[in-house]
Amino acid sequence: MSQNAGTVGVLVVAFLLQIAIAPQLGIFGIVPNIVFVLMAAIALLRGSRQGAIIGFTCGLIFDFIGSGPIGVSALSFCVAGAMAGALRHNTFAEGWKLPVVIVAVSSLVAELLYAVTLLLLGEGIAFLPTLTDVVLPTAAYNGAIAVGIFPILAHFLRQDRTVQTFRRIGR
């Protein structure tokens, strides 16, 4: 199976899981974004350009099936995907912790950018409650589910099996 076919397949499954399973996993109204976690993991595996492209595509699909303004999710996912992908090199050097932190931080960036963009568009959101009640908990939840998802996804989608260490690069 080609690299792109595998990516498309994983994302289709992710969207199905997002629709069918994620709402049942909600905690205090916070629903994990399985698609985002997979998108960020793929960006970590494939790089900044692929992260931006996949992020934009996934975000645009969310925009079309959601109720918010078209383009806001595409923008936030694109930026977060590019950011996660830019950190691609050597993320595997220290195990699974660094990639999971990167997924959580990129989720925080995406959620924050989404909220700020809605605020700038005059959508009438209360920023501080959105930050404390949605942005931070969603980023933490996405990071938590990345602990289980990322190693499995990395095993199936990662083509380069060699790992460089930070020490080797620093010499």
Side-chain angles (χ1 to χ4, degrees), residues 56-98:
F56 180 82
T57 303
C58 290
L60 196 58
I61 292 169
F62 266 112
D63 284 333
F64 284 128
I65 62 176
S67 60
I70 301 295
V72 179
S73 290
L75 171 66
S76 62
F77 275 43
C78 180
V79 169
M83 182 189 88
L87 301 171
R88 170 185 178 194
H89 298 291
N90 302 304
T91 20
F92 298 96
E94 302 299 327
W96 59 270
K97 293 175 191 165
L98 184 59

Side-chain angles (χ1 to χ4, degrees), residues 63 68-80 108-127 130 135:
D63 284 333
I70 301 295
V72 179
S73 290
L75 171 66
S76 62
F77 275 43
C78 180
V79 169
L108 178 65
V109 167
E111 292 291 329
L112 191 57
L113 182 57
Y114 188 86
V116 168
T117 304
L118 288 181
L119 189 66
L120 292 173
L121 291 174
E123 289 295 314
I125 66 164
F127 184 74
T130 300
V135 172

Side-chain angles (χ1 to χ4, degrees), residues 36 103-113 131 135-136 138-139 142:
F36 181 86
V103 170
V105 170
S106 62
S107 178
L108 178 65
V109 167
E111 292 291 329
L112 191 57
L113 182 57
L131 179 66
V135 172
L136 295 174
T138 300
N142 287 344

Side-chain angles (χ1 to χ4, degrees), residues 2-17:
S2 77
Q3 181 179 5
N4 289 336
T7 301
V8 170
V10 165
L11 290 172
V12 167
V13 169
F15 272 102
L16 294 174
L17 290 173

